Amino acid sequence: MGHKEAVEILLGAGAQVDLADGDGRTALSVAALCVPSAAGGRGHGEVVSLLLEKVDGIDGEGRTALCLAAAKGSVEVVRTLLDRGLDENHKDDLGWTPLHAAACEGHRSTCAVLTERGSMARVGELDVEGRTPLILAAQEGHGSTVRLLLDRDERMRAYPEAPPNSDL
């Protein structure tokens, strides 16, 4: 993906962008999963924008393109999707928001983008197993992501330092 010209041609020829593959992924889902390579493959945000004009569906596991892009750490695509109004607090079948997905993978920059926006992704949101994005980042050992999420968690600001000999 990332080939804007090819996508424009396909859309102009009437390609059905809402068709899903065996995993329930549409062209938009696949574009959101693609991360620019180190070799400089860019344009994914542009492709996502083109496809968003046609469809903004959810895949077979309840994930939006925003959740998929967050899981891959694609900051460019995440920003594009947020700018287009995709819900940063939409939950998939596991109860994961895009922030859960980014935190679990340790994508600190993506977590920062998701939590700095106006309505702010909810750091304390629980998935179906009762885990927050912070818990997922800690379980996976993503220290810098844990620090960011602690900083963004309003509840933690109420306890700047635990008193000696406390359970906090």
Side-chain angles (χ1 to χ4, degrees):
M1 293 300 300
H3 305 286
K4 180 183 174 195
E5 182 181 349
V7 172
E8 287 173 331
I9 292 168
L10 289 168
L11 291 174
Q16 292 182 299
V17 296
D18 58 344
L19 291 178
D21 65 13
D23 294 325
R25 292 194 176 115
T26 64
L28 178 59
S29 296
V30 173
L33 282 168
C34 294
V35 178
S37 68
R42 297 198 36 92
H44 297 81
E46 293 174 337
V47 170
V48 167
S49 290
L50 284 171
L51 293 171
L52 274 172
E53 292 173 11
K54 305 293 180 185
V55 67
D56 64 350
I58 295 173
D59 76 7
E61 295 175 14
R63 297 174 299 194
T64 63
L66 180 58
C67 188
L68 295 169
K72 287 294 187 178
S74 180
V75 174
E76 173 194 1
V77 175
V78 166
R79 281 191 178 118
T80 298
L81 294 169
L82 288 171
D83 290 344
R84 300 287 263 186
L86 266 71
D87 181 7
E88 67 267 21
N89 291 304
H90 172 85
K91 290 187 172 188
D92 67 14
D93 294 350
L94 298 174
W96 281 25
T97 64
L99 187 59
H100 281 88
C104 186
E105 296 297 327
H107 298 304
R108 184 186 185 285
S109 296
T110 304
C111 289
V113 168
L114 287 165
T115 58
E116 72 191 9
R117 294 294 179 131
S119 60
M120 194 181 326
R122 295 186 287 262
V123 173
E125 192 69 37
L126 299 175
D127 69 7
V128 296
E129 294 183 19
R131 300 172 300 181
T132 65
L134 176 60
I135 290 170
L136 291 170
Q139 282 179 326
E140 297 299 320
H142 302 302
S144 66
T145 303
V146 168
R147 280 190 286 282
L148 172 86
L149 294 173
L150 280 172
D151 182 52
R152 303 284 168 96
D153 190 341
E154 293 293 327
R155 296 170 301 153
M156 298 307 291
R157 292 182 190 163
Y159 303 100
E161 289 186 40
N165 302 320
S166 77
D167 292 337
L168 295 177

